[in-house]
Amino acid sequence: MTVEMVCITLLLYVNGVVESHVGHHKMVDCLKAKKVNEKTYDGGKPFRFTCQKRLVEVGKDDKGNNYIIRLLDTDENPRIKAKSVTEKLGG
C-alpha cells in the first residue's frame, strides 16, 4: 500500500537532475544529514544537496519502515506540482 504525503526530503542533484532522495521526519534531521553528505560525497560531477518539503509517494518495507518510492511534484506532473506548492505554503 502506498500513500501520497508532503515530506521533508533530502535531495541530491547531480548536473541539475535529482539523483537521490531520502525522507526525514524533522527539518533539523535533514539538515544534519545534508551537512554529513556534503562532507563525504565524492562524486566527480557538479552536485548539490538540499532539504525541501516535497509531495512524495511513500511505501513500507518488510519491517514496516516508511520509504520514498518517488517524487510526485515534478515538472512532468504540473497539476500535482501546483498542489504541492499550495500545501508547502499554507497546508
Side-chain angles (χ1 to χ4, degrees), residues 5-59:
M5 64 186 292
V6 175
C7 171
I8 297 168
T9 309
L10 175 60
L11 300 163
L12 166 61
Y13 288 90
V14 177
N15 288 329
V17 177
V18 176
E19 291 290 323
S20 176
H21 45 74
V22 179
H24 291 276
H25 293 287
K26 299 178 185 175
M27 183 61 80
V28 67
D29 296 333
C30 186
L31 293 170
K32 286 178 186 177
K34 176 186 175 204
K35 186 175 182 179
V36 169
N37 283 298
E38 286 175 335
K39 289 182 179 181
T40 60
Y41 184 74
D42 61 352
K45 299 177 183 175
F47 69 93
R48 177 174 61 100
F49 286 96
T50 183
C51 293
Q52 300 176 353
K53 281 187 178 178
R54 298 291 296 264
L55 182 66
V56 298
E57 182 178 3
V58 177

Short mmCIF file of all heavy atoms in Angstrom, two decimals, residues 5-59:
data_model
loop_
_atom_site.label_atom_id
_atom_site.label_comp_id
_atom_site.label_asym_id
_atom_site.label_seq_id
_atom_site.Cartn_x
_atom_site.Cartn_y
_atom_site.Cartn_z
N MET A 5 2.00 11.99 0.39
CA MET A 5 2.12 12.93 1.51
C MET A 5 3.21 13.95 1.22
O MET A 5 4.08 13.72 0.39
CB MET A 5 2.43 12.18 2.80
CG MET A 5 3.75 11.46 2.82
SD MET A 5 4.02 10.45 4.28
CE MET A 5 4.17 11.67 5.54
N VAL A 6 3.12 15.07 1.90
CA VAL A 6 4.18 16.08 1.83
C VAL A 6 5.20 15.70 2.90
O VAL A 6 4.86 15.43 4.04
CB VAL A 6 3.65 17.50 2.06
CG1 VAL A 6 4.77 18.50 2.12
CG2 VAL A 6 2.66 17.87 0.97
N CYS A 7 6.46 15.63 2.50
CA CYS A 7 7.52 15.09 3.35
C CYS A 7 8.77 15.96 3.23
O CYS A 7 9.06 16.48 2.15
CB CYS A 7 7.80 13.67 2.90
SG CYS A 7 9.20 12.87 3.62
N ILE A 8 9.51 16.10 4.32
CA ILE A 8 10.81 16.75 4.26
C ILE A 8 11.77 15.76 3.61
O ILE A 8 11.92 14.63 4.07
CB ILE A 8 11.29 17.15 5.66
CG1 ILE A 8 10.33 18.17 6.25
CG2 ILE A 8 12.71 17.71 5.61
CD1 ILE A 8 10.52 18.44 7.71
N THR A 9 12.41 16.19 2.55
CA THR A 9 13.20 15.29 1.72
C THR A 9 14.59 15.86 1.47
O THR A 9 14.73 17.02 1.09
CB THR A 9 12.50 15.08 0.36
OG1 THR A 9 11.14 14.72 0.59
CG2 THR A 9 13.17 14.00 -0.45
N LEU A 10 15.61 15.03 1.69
CA LEU A 10 16.98 15.39 1.33
C LEU A 10 17.18 14.95 -0.11
O LEU A 10 17.06 13.77 -0.43
CB LEU A 10 17.99 14.70 2.24
CG LEU A 10 19.47 14.91 1.89
CD1 LEU A 10 19.84 16.38 1.93
CD2 LEU A 10 20.36 14.10 2.82
N LEU A 11 17.46 15.92 -0.97
CA LEU A 11 17.64 15.65 -2.40
C LEU A 11 19.09 15.82 -2.80
O LEU A 11 19.74 16.77 -2.36
CB LEU A 11 16.78 16.60 -3.23
CG LEU A 11 15.28 16.54 -2.97
CD1 LEU A 11 14.61 17.77 -3.52
CD2 LEU A 11 14.70 15.30 -3.60
N LEU A 12 19.59 14.93 -3.65
CA LEU A 12 20.90 15.07 -4.26
C LEU A 12 20.69 15.38 -5.73
O LEU A 12 20.09 14.59 -6.46
CB LEU A 12 21.71 13.78 -4.13
CG LEU A 12 22.97 13.68 -5.00
CD1 LEU A 12 23.96 14.79 -4.67
CD2 LEU A 12 23.61 12.32 -4.87
N TYR A 13 21.13 16.57 -6.13
CA TYR A 13 21.10 16.96 -7.54
C TYR A 13 22.50 16.78 -8.12
O TYR A 13 23.48 17.23 -7.54
CB TYR A 13 20.74 18.44 -7.69
CG TYR A 13 19.29 18.77 -7.40
CD1 TYR A 13 18.90 19.12 -6.11
CD2 TYR A 13 18.34 18.75 -8.40
CE1 TYR A 13 17.57 19.44 -5.84
CE2 TYR A 13 17.02 19.07 -8.14
CZ TYR A 13 16.64 19.41 -6.86
OH TYR A 13 15.34 19.74 -6.60
N VAL A 14 22.59 16.09 -9.25
CA VAL A 14 23.84 15.95 -9.99
C VAL A 14 23.59 16.50 -11.39
O VAL A 14 22.67 16.04 -12.08
CB VAL A 14 24.31 14.48 -10.05
CG1 VAL A 14 25.58 14.35 -10.88
CG2 VAL A 14 24.53 13.93 -8.65
N ASN A 15 24.37 17.48 -11.77
CA ASN A 15 24.18 18.17 -13.05
C ASN A 15 22.75 18.68 -13.21
O ASN A 15 22.16 18.59 -14.28
CB ASN A 15 24.56 17.27 -14.23
CG ASN A 15 26.04 17.07 -14.35
OD1 ASN A 15 26.82 17.95 -14.01
ND2 ASN A 15 26.45 15.91 -14.82
N GLY A 16 22.14 19.13 -12.12
CA GLY A 16 20.80 19.71 -12.16
C GLY A 16 19.65 18.72 -12.16
O GLY A 16 18.50 19.11 -12.27
N VAL A 17 19.94 17.43 -12.04
CA VAL A 17 18.91 16.38 -12.07
C VAL A 17 18.90 15.66 -10.72
O VAL A 17 19.96 15.33 -10.19
CB VAL A 17 19.20 15.36 -13.21
CG1 VAL A 17 18.18 14.24 -13.21
CG2 VAL A 17 19.24 16.07 -14.55
N VAL A 18 17.70 15.39 -10.19
CA VAL A 18 17.60 14.67 -8.92
C VAL A 18 18.09 13.23 -9.12
O VAL A 18 17.56 12.49 -9.93
CB VAL A 18 16.15 14.65 -8.39
CG1 VAL A 18 16.06 13.80 -7.13
CG2 VAL A 18 15.67 16.05 -8.11
N GLU A 19 19.13 12.87 -8.38
CA GLU A 19 19.70 11.53 -8.47
C GLU A 19 19.29 10.65 -7.29
O GLU A 19 19.28 9.44 -7.39
CB GLU A 19 21.24 11.61 -8.51
CG GLU A 19 21.78 12.19 -9.79
CD GLU A 19 21.60 11.26 -10.97
OE1 GLU A 19 21.72 10.04 -10.81
OE2 GLU A 19 21.32 11.78 -12.07
N SER A 20 18.99 11.29 -6.15
CA SER A 20 18.68 10.52 -4.94
C SER A 20 17.78 11.35 -4.04
O SER A 20 17.82 12.58 -4.07
CB SER A 20 19.99 10.19 -4.22
OG SER A 20 19.75 9.54 -3.00
N HIS A 21 16.95 10.67 -3.25
CA HIS A 21 16.09 11.35 -2.30
C HIS A 21 15.85 10.46 -1.09
O HIS A 21 15.72 9.24 -1.21
CB HIS A 21 14.76 11.75 -2.93
CG HIS A 21 14.12 10.68 -3.75
ND1 HIS A 21 13.50 9.58 -3.20
CD2 HIS A 21 14.02 10.54 -5.08
CE1 HIS A 21 13.03 8.82 -4.17
NE2 HIS A 21 13.35 9.37 -5.33
N VAL A 22 15.85 11.09 0.10
CA VAL A 22 15.65 10.38 1.37
C VAL A 22 14.73 11.23 2.23
O VAL A 22 14.95 12.42 2.38
CB VAL A 22 16.98 10.14 2.11
CG1 VAL A 22 16.75 9.44 3.44
CG2 VAL A 22 17.95 9.35 1.25
N GLY A 23 13.70 10.62 2.82
CA GLY A 23 12.76 11.34 3.66
C GLY A 23 13.26 11.46 5.10
O GLY A 23 13.99 10.59 5.59
N HIS A 24 12.87 12.55 5.75
CA HIS A 24 13.20 12.78 7.16
C HIS A 24 11.96 13.28 7.88
O HIS A 24 11.09 13.92 7.28
CB HIS A 24 14.33 13.82 7.28
CG HIS A 24 15.65 13.31 6.80
ND1 HIS A 24 16.49 12.58 7.59
CD2 HIS A 24 16.25 13.40 5.59
CE1 HIS A 24 17.57 12.25 6.89
NE2 HIS A 24 17.44 12.74 5.67
N HIS A 25 11.88 13.02 9.19
CA HIS A 25 10.73 13.44 9.99
C HIS A 25 10.81 14.92 10.35
O HIS A 25 9.79 15.59 10.46
CB HIS A 25 10.61 12.61 11.26
CG HIS A 25 10.26 11.19 11.00
ND1 HIS A 25 9.01 10.80 10.60
CD2 HIS A 25 11.00 10.06 11.05
CE1 HIS A 25 8.97 9.50 10.43
NE2 HIS A 25 10.17 9.02 10.68
N LYS A 26 12.02 15.42 10.57
CA LYS A 26 12.21 16.81 11.00
C LYS A 26 13.23 17.49 10.09
O LYS A 26 14.18 16.87 9.63
CB LYS A 26 12.73 16.86 12.43
CG LYS A 26 11.81 16.25 13.46
CD LYS A 26 12.46 16.32 14.82
CE LYS A 26 11.64 15.61 15.87
NZ LYS A 26 12.33 15.57 17.15
N MET A 27 13.04 18.80 9.91
CA MET A 27 13.97 19.57 9.09
C MET A 27 15.37 19.53 9.69
O MET A 27 16.35 19.42 8.96
CB MET A 27 13.49 21.02 8.95
CG MET A 27 14.37 21.87 8.07
SD MET A 27 14.52 21.30 6.35
CE MET A 27 13.01 21.92 5.66
N VAL A 28 15.48 19.58 11.01
CA VAL A 28 16.80 19.57 11.64
C VAL A 28 17.54 18.26 11.32
O VAL A 28 18.75 18.28 11.09
CB VAL A 28 16.70 19.81 13.17
CG1 VAL A 28 16.01 18.66 13.88
CG2 VAL A 28 18.06 20.07 13.77
N ASP A 29 16.83 17.14 11.26
CA ASP A 29 17.47 15.87 10.90
C ASP A 29 17.94 15.89 9.45
O ASP A 29 19.02 15.38 9.13
CB ASP A 29 16.51 14.70 11.13
CG ASP A 29 16.14 14.51 12.59
OD1 ASP A 29 16.95 14.90 13.45
OD2 ASP A 29 15.04 13.99 12.85
N CYS A 30 17.15 16.49 8.59
CA CYS A 30 17.53 16.59 7.17
C CYS A 30 18.77 17.46 7.02
O CYS A 30 19.69 17.12 6.27
CB CYS A 30 16.36 17.17 6.37
SG CYS A 30 16.66 17.20 4.59
N LEU A 31 18.81 18.58 7.74
CA LEU A 31 19.96 19.48 7.63
C LEU A 31 21.24 18.84 8.17
O LEU A 31 22.33 19.05 7.62
CB LEU A 31 19.67 20.79 8.35
CG LEU A 31 18.58 21.64 7.69
CD1 LEU A 31 18.19 22.80 8.60
CD2 LEU A 31 19.01 22.12 6.32
N LYS A 32 21.11 18.03 9.24
CA LYS A 32 22.28 17.31 9.75
C LYS A 32 22.79 16.31 8.72
O LYS A 32 24.00 16.20 8.48
CB LYS A 32 21.93 16.58 11.05
CG LYS A 32 21.79 17.49 12.25
CD LYS A 32 21.39 16.69 13.48
CE LYS A 32 21.11 17.58 14.66
NZ LYS A 32 20.64 16.82 15.84
N ALA A 33 21.87 15.56 8.10
CA ALA A 33 22.26 14.59 7.08
C ALA A 33 22.88 15.30 5.87
O ALA A 33 23.85 14.82 5.28
CB ALA A 33 21.05 13.77 6.65
N LYS A 34 22.35 16.46 5.52
CA LYS A 34 22.89 17.24 4.40
C LYS A 34 24.34 17.63 4.68
O LYS A 34 25.21 17.48 3.82
CB LYS A 34 22.04 18.50 4.20
CG LYS A 34 22.57 19.43 3.13
CD LYS A 34 21.77 20.71 3.08
CE LYS A 34 22.43 21.65 2.08
NZ LYS A 34 22.14 23.03 2.32
N LYS A 35 24.61 18.09 5.88
CA LYS A 35 25.96 18.51 6.26
C LYS A 35 26.95 17.34 6.16
O LYS A 35 28.04 17.47 5.61
CB LYS A 35 25.94 19.07 7.67
CG LYS A 35 27.24 19.67 8.13
CD LYS A 35 27.07 20.31 9.50
CE LYS A 35 28.34 20.95 9.96
NZ LYS A 35 28.19 21.59 11.27
N VAL A 36 26.54 16.18 6.68
CA VAL A 36 27.40 14.99 6.62
C VAL A 36 27.63 14.57 5.17
O VAL A 36 28.76 14.28 4.77
CB VAL A 36 26.77 13.83 7.43
CG1 VAL A 36 27.49 12.52 7.17
CG2 VAL A 36 26.77 14.16 8.91
N ASN A 37 26.55 14.54 4.38
CA ASN A 37 26.68 14.12 2.99
C ASN A 37 27.54 15.06 2.17
O ASN A 37 28.29 14.62 1.29
CB ASN A 37 25.30 13.95 2.36
CG ASN A 37 24.63 12.67 2.77
OD1 ASN A 37 25.13 11.59 2.49
ND2 ASN A 37 23.52 12.78 3.46
N GLU A 38 27.44 16.36 2.41
CA GLU A 38 28.26 17.31 1.67
C GLU A 38 29.75 17.10 1.95
O GLU A 38 30.58 17.28 1.07
CB GLU A 38 27.86 18.75 2.02
CG GLU A 38 26.55 19.16 1.41
CD GLU A 38 26.09 20.53 1.85
OE1 GLU A 38 26.47 20.98 2.95
OE2 GLU A 38 25.33 21.16 1.09
N LYS A 39 30.07 16.71 3.18
CA LYS A 39 31.47 16.48 3.54
C LYS A 39 32.01 15.16 2.99
O LYS A 39 33.21 15.03 2.74
CB LYS A 39 31.63 16.49 5.05
CG LYS A 39 31.47 17.87 5.66
CD LYS A 39 31.68 17.84 7.14
CE LYS A 39 31.53 19.23 7.73
NZ LYS A 39 31.77 19.24 9.17
N THR A 40 31.13 14.17 2.81
CA THR A 40 31.60 12.83 2.43
C THR A 40 31.34 12.47 0.97
O THR A 40 31.87 11.48 0.49
CB THR A 40 30.96 11.76 3.33
OG1 THR A 40 29.53 11.82 3.19
CG2 THR A 40 31.34 11.97 4.78
N TYR A 41 30.55 13.25 0.25
CA TYR A 41 30.22 12.92 -1.14
C TYR A 41 31.46 13.07 -2.00
O TYR A 41 32.15 14.08 -1.95
CB TYR A 41 29.10 13.84 -1.66
CG TYR A 41 28.65 13.49 -3.06
CD1 TYR A 41 27.87 12.38 -3.28
CD2 TYR A 41 29.03 14.26 -4.14
CE1 TYR A 41 27.45 12.05 -4.55
CE2 TYR A 41 28.61 13.95 -5.42
CZ TYR A 41 27.82 12.84 -5.62
OH TYR A 41 27.42 12.52 -6.90
N ASP A 42 31.75 12.05 -2.81
CA ASP A 42 32.96 12.06 -3.62
C ASP A 42 32.68 11.95 -5.12
O ASP A 42 33.52 11.52 -5.88
CB ASP A 42 33.93 10.96 -3.17
CG ASP A 42 33.34 9.56 -3.32
OD1 ASP A 42 32.14 9.45 -3.62
OD2 ASP A 42 34.09 8.60 -3.14
N GLY A 43 31.48 12.34 -5.53
CA GLY A 43 31.16 12.31 -6.96
C GLY A 43 31.98 13.35 -7.71
O GLY A 43 32.24 14.43 -7.21
N GLY A 44 32.37 13.03 -8.91
CA GLY A 44 33.21 13.93 -9.69
C GLY A 44 32.44 15.01 -10.43
O GLY A 44 33.01 15.97 -10.90
N LYS A 45 31.12 14.87 -10.53
CA LYS A 45 30.31 15.82 -11.28
C LYS A 45 29.79 16.91 -10.35
O LYS A 45 29.74 16.72 -9.14
CB LYS A 45 29.14 15.08 -11.93
CG LYS A 45 29.58 14.00 -12.91
CD LYS A 45 28.39 13.26 -13.45
CE LYS A 45 28.85 12.14 -14.38
NZ LYS A 45 27.74 11.33 -14.84
N PRO A 46 29.35 18.05 -10.92
CA PRO A 46 28.76 19.09 -10.08
C PRO A 46 27.53 18.56 -9.34
O PRO A 46 26.68 17.91 -9.93
CB PRO A 46 28.35 20.17 -11.09
CG PRO A 46 29.18 19.91 -12.29
CD PRO A 46 29.44 18.44 -12.31
N PHE A 47 27.47 18.82 -8.03
CA PHE A 47 26.37 18.29 -7.23
C PHE A 47 25.90 19.34 -6.23
O PHE A 47 26.58 20.31 -5.94
CB PHE A 47 26.79 17.02 -6.49
CG PHE A 47 27.79 17.28 -5.39
CD1 PHE A 47 27.36 17.49 -4.09
CD2 PHE A 47 29.15 17.32 -5.66
CE1 PHE A 47 28.28 17.73 -3.08
CE2 PHE A 47 30.07 17.56 -4.66
CZ PHE A 47 29.63 17.77 -3.36
N ARG A 48 24.68 19.08 -5.70
CA ARG A 48 24.11 19.96 -4.68
C ARG A 48 23.14 19.14 -3.84
O ARG A 48 22.33 18.39 -4.37
CB ARG A 48 23.38 21.12 -5.34
CG ARG A 48 22.68 22.05 -4.38
CD ARG A 48 22.10 23.26 -5.12
NE ARG A 48 21.12 22.91 -6.11
CZ ARG A 48 19.80 22.99 -5.93
NH1 ARG A 48 19.31 23.40 -4.78
NH2 ARG A 48 18.97 22.67 -6.90
N PHE A 49 23.25 19.26 -2.52
CA PHE A 49 22.28 18.66 -1.61
C PHE A 49 21.35 19.76 -1.14
O PHE A 49 21.77 20.89 -0.90
CB PHE A 49 22.98 18.05 -0.39
CG PHE A 49 23.70 16.77 -0.67
CD1 PHE A 49 25.06 16.76 -0.94
CD2 PHE A 49 23.02 15.56 -0.66
CE1 PHE A 49 25.73 15.59 -1.19
CE2 PHE A 49 23.68 14.37 -0.92
CZ PHE A 49 25.04 14.39 -1.18
N THR A 50 20.07 19.44 -0.97
CA THR A 50 19.10 20.40 -0.48
C THR A 50 18.00 19.69 0.30
O THR A 50 17.67 18.55 0.00
CB THR A 50 18.50 21.23 -1.63
OG1 THR A 50 17.62 22.21 -1.10
CG2 THR A 50 17.77 20.38 -2.62
N CYS A 51 17.47 20.36 1.31
CA CYS A 51 16.33 19.85 2.08
C CYS A 51 15.10 20.64 1.65
O CYS A 51 15.11 21.87 1.68
CB CYS A 51 16.55 20.01 3.57
SG CYS A 51 17.87 18.99 4.23
N GLN A 52 14.05 19.92 1.22
CA GLN A 52 12.83 20.58 0.75
C GLN A 52 11.61 19.78 1.21
O GLN A 52 11.69 18.58 1.38
CB GLN A 52 12.79 20.63 -0.77
CG GLN A 52 13.92 21.37 -1.41
CD GLN A 52 13.85 21.28 -2.93
OE1 GLN A 52 13.04 20.55 -3.50
NE2 GLN A 52 14.73 22.02 -3.58
N LYS A 53 10.48 20.49 1.36
CA LYS A 53 9.20 19.81 1.51
C LYS A 53 8.75 19.44 0.11
O LYS A 53 8.67 20.31 -0.77
CB LYS A 53 8.16 20.71 2.16
CG LYS A 53 8.29 20.84 3.64
CD LYS A 53 7.10 21.62 4.17
CE LYS A 53 7.14 21.73 5.66
NZ LYS A 53 6.01 22.53 6.16
N ARG A 54 8.47 18.16 -0.12
CA ARG A 54 8.06 17.70 -1.45
C ARG A 54 6.88 16.75 -1.32
O ARG A 54 6.72 16.06 -0.31
CB ARG A 54 9.21 16.97 -2.13
CG ARG A 54 10.46 17.79 -2.38
CD ARG A 54 10.27 18.86 -3.44
NE ARG A 54 9.97 18.33 -4.74
CZ ARG A 54 10.89 18.13 -5.69
NH1 ARG A 54 12.15 18.47 -5.48
NH2 ARG A 54 10.55 17.64 -6.85
N LEU A 55 6.05 16.70 -2.33
CA LEU A 55 4.96 15.74 -2.40
C LEU A 55 5.55 14.42 -2.92
O LEU A 55 6.16 14.39 -3.99
CB LEU A 55 3.86 16.23 -3.34
CG LEU A 55 2.63 15.34 -3.46
CD1 LEU A 55 1.89 15.29 -2.11
CD2 LEU A 55 1.69 15.85 -4.53
N VAL A 56 5.41 13.37 -2.12
CA VAL A 56 6.04 12.09 -2.45
C VAL A 56 5.05 10.94 -2.31
O VAL A 56 4.01 11.07 -1.67
CB VAL A 56 7.26 11.80 -1.54
CG1 VAL A 56 8.34 12.85 -1.73
CG2 VAL A 56 6.85 11.72 -0.08
N GLU A 57 5.38 9.83 -2.94
CA GLU A 57 4.66 8.57 -2.74
C GLU A 57 5.48 7.74 -1.76
O GLU A 57 6.67 7.52 -1.98
CB GLU A 57 4.51 7.83 -4.06
CG GLU A 57 3.73 6.56 -3.95
CD GLU A 57 3.54 5.87 -5.29
OE1 GLU A 57 4.06 6.36 -6.32
OE2 GLU A 57 2.88 4.82 -5.29
N VAL A 58 4.85 7.32 -0.67
CA VAL A 58 5.54 6.61 0.40
C VAL A 58 5.02 5.18 0.48
O VAL A 58 3.81 4.94 0.38
CB VAL A 58 5.32 7.32 1.76
CG1 VAL A 58 5.96 6.55 2.90
CG2 VAL A 58 5.86 8.74 1.71
N GLY A 59 5.94 4.22 0.67
CA GLY A 59 5.58 2.83 0.87
C GLY A 59 6.22 2.30 2.14
O GLY A 59 6.96 3.02 2.81
#
